[in-house]
Amino acid sequence: MAIALLGATLLRMSDDFDRVALEREQVVVDNGLASRVDEIGRSVVPQVVWDDAVVNLDNRFDRAWARDNIGTYLQVTNGFQLSWVLDAENRPVYGMVEGADAPPSAYGVLDKSVSGILATVRQREAIRAAAATDEATTPQSAIVANTTDLVGSDLYVLSATLVQPDFGKARIQGRRAPVVVTGYRVDQTFIDGFGQRYMLGDAHLHMVDARSEPDQAHVGIANPAGAVVATLDWTPQRPGGSLLRKFMPMTLALLAGLLALALLAYRKAHAATRAVVASEQRAVHIAYHDKLTGMGNRRALEERLDRLFEPGSAGGPRYALHCIDLDNFKEVNDISGHAVGDELLRIAARRLRRIAGSSEMCFRLDGDEFAVLQPITTGDEAVPFAEQMLQTLAKRYALSVGRFTLTGSIGTSLQDAADHEAGDLLRRADLALVSAKREGRARFAIYDPAMDETLRRRRGLQVALRRDLQAGALHMVYQPQVDRDCTMTGVEALVRWDSDEFGPVSPAVFVPLAEECGMIEALGAFTLRRAFEDSLRWPDLKTAVNISALQLRDPGFPDRILAIAAETGVSPSGIELELTEGVLIDRGKGASTRLAALKDAGFSIAIDDFGTGYSSLSYLSRFPIGKIKIDRSFVVDMGRSQCADVLVSSILQLGRSLNMRVIAEGVETPDQWLRLAAVGCNEFQGYLASRPVSADVIDRIYAGERVEVVGQDARFAPEHRMAAA
């Protein structure tokens, strides 16, 4: 059976190869024949598209010229057996047949055959005449039309070529140009030359429709009416039969050997099939599981959620989806390396699997983000489950490099009967997670519809901020900084946004918003430019401007801030750049280099909110810091917490030891002022002296006026003394 099947297959393949080869040959020869016909028609062009032809065939008819340059030349040089010159009315005025002049009546045998190509030439001539602007001086392409037909018992290639100038020195004088009609006999000599060109060794011509002749390849030659009047035939190549004759004996011998090995091959194939099945199962597992933790990935979660929302699952259990994010995981990765981060992720994944009780309910979505599906009967069951995950994640992690403590934030969404799409459940859990992280992290939040409103408001704020920032609608305020004598020594520049749509928006809202949506560079440039411009009004005061982490991270920031200073005419020595501790942590050599460049340019560098960042103080020696600002959280607790008093005193001693200026911010009561002064603080900033005010108010204080500001204690109102400054 196998031999018979193979033999039949090979025969079928051989026939298919031969059929395809035959069809391809016929297409190639058909295209070649059409190309040869076009080539014959084009060979007339040099004698007809010629200024002399226009003069001697149109401007005046010179029969001798027509005989020599049309009839005789085309017959001797190109082998045309028929040549006729027709006037503007398509009437023959000269003809040569087989090398001898012919009377006009001899043209009648061609009239029907060439009427179609004549009409084509005249139509194209009319189209050109309607579009032409200067026929006499603009060279025109030749107008030629070709056909094939029987003339008597012979087959001819018939061409009609419009008489026209080549370089425009002559102009057609008649209503229409003359036309030259030529005939080239298709005989065996023609076929032999064509066969040599296309490697058709036995090509021959049948003067009838012989396409039914067996064992031959055929190309029909049609007349202008579309009827086949002759057939070009040749013996086609048979690659399939040649291959069959060459390889059949060898194939049969090989098949006999293969049949002998069939039993062994079957056993091995069976084993290979099992291996393929196992490989496919591994591939499916990889496609739906996270390689690091073995949990399902985002794709697996999405398919699992899709099944929950299938029509047939409506009566099944409800679910709570918990999206979990590890707080400050990036710092672990950056400080200890990705290998330690991966180790921590594996431990966190094991803890979540233990709580869920099934690995099929746990998923790692991306980076440090996980998801857990919890079957529930009531929504109240989700709360203790989320609390248990928070407590478990907050336990210390014993890693290869030491012990770490890390917390997690959780966003929870409950499956609702009104839900129709799995994406809604995941989207709501993500919203709840964002809410939990904004509220301080290390907590969970259950989705509430108000979160959607919060998201819409946040998107509206983004649009409004972008619009107002482009329009320059934000404004600056300045909070005075004073010494013990209430002499104003500087101001801190603070940006404010009063939106027409949302009213006053806190910087604590719109500054992080600008960082998230890529507007922090524009906001920073706006703040710097306005603060620099306003600082020119107070030459002997330091103007402090806050710098964000994203700005300092940019290698081009020093060049941009120097460019703004140059444009506004500000001296860097009058500007103080304030940075939070978090900006400096883990920024490496890049931040140090950029700060050094700014320091060298003349800017002062200050640390804002000192004491609230990271415990390491190494940056005080690594970075060119000249001033420390004690955070208001320590100032508020002075007198109420002995620890706060000790910390403030320690910060002041540290500043003096490092030869740095120290200023306390958030000073709101006389008691705080006095306590700070008692431990050696010489500079103050806060509502006790003045809340942030407009540049115009600073102008008045700078001019020596005592200005009353709402909320201040008049005894501590800032003053400006030129001598003191």
Side-chain angles (χ1 to χ4, degrees):
M1 289 178 63
I3 293 173
L5 181 61
L6 178 61
T9 301
L10 289 175
L11 287 172
R12 178 64 181 271
M13 291 173 61
S14 171
D15 290 342
D16 287 344
F17 288 160
D18 288 344
R19 178 179 52 78
V20 171
L22 174 62
E23 291 173 354
R24 184 176 294 117
E25 272 191 61
Q26 291 180 154
V27 170
V28 170
V29 172
D30 191 30
N31 291 338
L33 190 58
S35 176
R36 179 65 180 130
V37 168
D38 184 66
E39 180 183 325
I40 291 171
R42 287 284 168 182
S43 66
V44 181
V45 170
Q47 290 301 109
V48 177
V49 180
W50 185 17
D51 287 348
D52 284 1
V54 172
V55 171
N56 293 286
L57 298 181
D58 175 75
N59 297 169
R60 66 174 186 275
F61 181 71
D62 188 333
R63 183 180 180 84
W65 190 94
R67 180 189 303 111
D68 294 341
N69 292 278
I70 299 297
T72 303
Y73 183 89
L74 293 180
Q75 195 267 337
V76 172
T77 305
N78 299 94
F80 286 93
Q81 288 77 24
L82 305 175
S83 300
W84 289 91
V85 178
L86 308 184
D87 64 11
E89 304 302 328
N90 294 343
R91 293 176 303 213
V93 294
Y94 173 76
M96 178 175 282
V97 177
E98 300 291 350
D101 291 346
S105 59
Y107 176 76
V109 297
L110 296 177
D111 194 33
K112 184 177 179 181
S113 298
V114 300
S115 60
I117 58 176
L118 272 176
T120 299
V121 168
R122 290 304 187 190
Q123 182 181 16
R124 291 167 60 186
E125 178 189 21
I127 293 172
R128 174 184 289 177
T133 57
D134 192 352
E135 182 182 0
T137 59
T138 304
Q140 301 287 342
S141 59
I143 295 180
V144 184
N146 307 300
T147 188
T148 54
D149 199 4
L150 292 176
V151 178
S153 60
D154 294 324
L155 180 67
Y156 278 86
V157 175
L158 301 172
S159 303
T161 309
L162 188 72
V163 174
Q164 59 188 74
D166 51 356
F167 294 107
K169 294 180 179 179
R171 182 188 294 271
I172 297 294
Q173 300 295 331
R175 181 175 62 86
R176 296 190 303 187
V179 175
V180 173
V181 174
T182 57
Y184 191 99
R185 184 184 296 118
V186 179
D187 52 16
Q188 192 57 43
T189 303
F190 176 95
I191 296 300
D192 291 343
F194 182 79
Q196 289 178 2
R197 178 182 294 188
Y198 288 92
M199 294 182 292
L200 308 176
D202 61 343
H204 54 281
L205 189 68
H206 285 283
M207 300 308 293
V208 292
D209 186 353
R211 287 178 292 176
S212 60
E213 183 180 357
D215 301 324
Q216 291 285 299
H218 315 282
V219 168
I221 302 174
N223 65 10
V228 174
V229 295
T231 309
L232 174 62
D233 301 328
W234 71 95
T235 302
Q237 297 181 10
R238 302 185 186 278
S242 299
L243 287 173
L244 184 64
R245 289 189 297 273
K246 183 176 182 180
F247 290 107
M248 179 63 86
M250 184 187 303
T251 302
L252 293 176
L254 288 174
L255 182 60
L258 289 174
L259 288 174
L261 297 174
L263 182 60
L264 178 62
Y266 169 76
R267 296 182 61 184
K268 291 190 174 182
H270 186 62
T273 300
R274 290 200 303 268
V276 168
V277 171
S279 175
E280 289 178 349
Q281 291 174 342
R282 285 195 300 272
V284 170
H285 181 84
I286 291 171
Y288 285 90
H289 289 79
D290 172 55
K291 182 179 179 181
L292 179 65
T293 63
M295 287 180 164
N297 56 19
R298 181 178 289 274
R299 181 179 178 185
L301 173 62
E302 289 172 351
E303 292 204 3
R304 183 65 180 268
L305 292 177
D306 286 338
R307 290 198 296 272
L308 298 183
F309 288 89
E310 291 176 353
S313 62
R318 293 175 60 206
Y319 287 86
L321 176 62
H322 305 272
C323 283
I324 304 110
D325 190 84
L326 302 181
D327 300 329
N328 300 319
F329 174 77
K330 185 179 184 302
E331 279 70 17
V332 175
N333 246 358
D334 292 345
I335 294 171
S336 303
H338 290 283
V340 175
D342 291 347
E343 187 180 355
L344 191 151
L345 289 172
R346 285 192 290 267
I347 296 174
R350 286 199 297 269
R351 293 181 181 181
L352 291 175
R353 274 196 294 263
R354 282 199 301 269
I355 297 171
S358 170
S359 60
E360 294 183 357
M361 293 295 185
C362 299
F363 307 86
R364 181 187 176 206
L365 304 184
D366 186 23
D368 61 329
E369 187 176 352
F370 297 87
V372 175
L373 266 176
Q374 176 198 4
I376 58 173
T377 53
T378 66
D380 294 339
E381 298 174 27
V383 175
F385 188 84
E387 290 177 340
Q388 184 183 3
M389 286 192 290
L390 286 178
Q391 294 169 5
T392 303
L393 291 173
K395 293 179 180 178
R396 293 176 68 83
Y397 293 80
L399 305 178
S400 57
V401 295
R403 291 181 174 272
F404 280 81
T405 299
L406 204 67
T407 60
S409 299
I410 300 176
T412 301
S413 176
L414 305 178
Q415 185 182 2
D416 193 285
D419 289 341
H420 298 290
E421 294 186 5
D424 291 338
L425 193 64
L426 185 57
R427 181 187 64 83
R428 295 201 303 264
D430 281 335
L431 277 178
L433 175 61
V434 171
S435 176
K437 296 183 82 68
R438 283 185 185 150
E439 290 174 6
R441 304 185 179 184
R443 64 189 65 208
F444 74 92
I446 296 179
Y447 171 80
D448 185 273
M451 294 178 182
D452 275 320
E453 180 58 34
T454 301
L455 178 62
R456 282 192 291 271
R457 173 180 169 81
R458 191 168 185 81
R459 288 175 179 166
L461 282 170
Q462 288 181 0
V463 173
L465 178 59
R466 190 180 302 276
R467 181 183 61 243
D468 286 358
L469 190 56
Q470 290 175 349
L474 281 69
H475 65 278
M476 304 297 297
V477 294
Y478 299 89
Q479 187 169 30
Q481 298 173 341
V482 299
D483 62 13
R484 288 188 180 214
D485 299 326
C486 296
T487 299
M488 187 166 59
T489 59
V491 292
E492 180 180 3
L494 303 166
V495 64
R496 293 292 184 263
W497 179 30
D498 293 330
S499 171
D500 293 338
E501 183 178 353
F502 298 98
V505 184
S506 169
V509 173
F510 71 78
V511 172
L513 192 67
E515 292 180 342
E516 289 177 16
C517 57
M519 290 186 285
I520 191 61
E521 182 178 332
L523 179 61
F526 171 85
T527 303
L528 289 167
R529 187 174 298 277
R530 287 288 179 88
F532 285 11
E533 290 171 350
D534 287 342
S535 71
L536 296 173
R537 299 153 71 167
W538 319 303
D540 57 338
L541 295 181
K542 279 274 190 182
T543 300
V545 187
N546 290 287
I547 301 301
S548 75
L550 293 178
Q551 286 176 288
L552 188 61
R553 195 179 301 169
D554 183 359
F557 176 67
D559 292 335
R560 275 201 296 277
I561 193 172
L562 286 171
I564 294 174
E567 291 172 12
T568 55
V570 166
S571 171
S573 62
I575 303 298
E576 188 168 76
L577 304 178
E578 291 192 0
L579 308 98
T580 60
E581 292 178 84
V583 173
L584 303 178
I585 276 296
D586 261 344
R587 299 300 175 213
K589 186 176 180 180
S592 177
T593 302
R594 287 188 278 279
L595 286 177
L598 292 170
K599 178 72 173 178
D600 292 342
F603 293 100
S604 302
I605 309 297
I607 294 298
D608 197 9
D609 302 332
F610 184 81
T612 60
Y614 297 83
S615 58
S616 173
L617 300 179
S618 62
Y619 59 79
L620 291 178
S621 60
R622 288 192 292 118
F623 297 100
I625 298 166
K627 184 177 179 180
I628 296 174
K629 296 187 75 173
I630 303 173
D631 186 67
R632 70 179 304 277
S633 61
F634 299 122
V635 175
V636 169
D637 287 340
M638 289 185 69
R640 296 184 296 182
S641 166
Q642 183 178 0
C643 180
D645 290 342
V646 171
L647 283 173
V648 170
S649 178
S650 299
I651 293 172
L652 285 163
Q653 292 178 15
L654 176 66
R656 284 193 292 268
S657 300
L658 296 176
N659 197 28
M660 296 178 182
R661 294 167 55 204
V662 181
I663 183 173
E665 61 179 345
V667 182
E668 298 180 355
T669 66
D671 181 64
Q672 293 169 358
W673 178 293
L674 295 174
R675 288 181 179 276
L676 287 165
V679 293
C681 184
N682 295 318
E683 293 187 65
F684 309 85
Q685 180 180 340
Y687 280 19
L688 181 66
S690 175
R691 66 176 60 237
V693 295
S694 68
D696 292 339
V697 174
I698 299 297
D699 285 343
R700 293 166 57 192
I701 299 173
Y702 189 79
E705 182 181 345
R706 288 181 65 88
V707 180
E708 293 185 6
V709 179
V710 176
Q712 78 176 173
D713 189 322
R715 295 172 297 169
F716 297 91
E719 299 180 40
H720 180 252
R721 303 182 181 91
M722 293 297 293

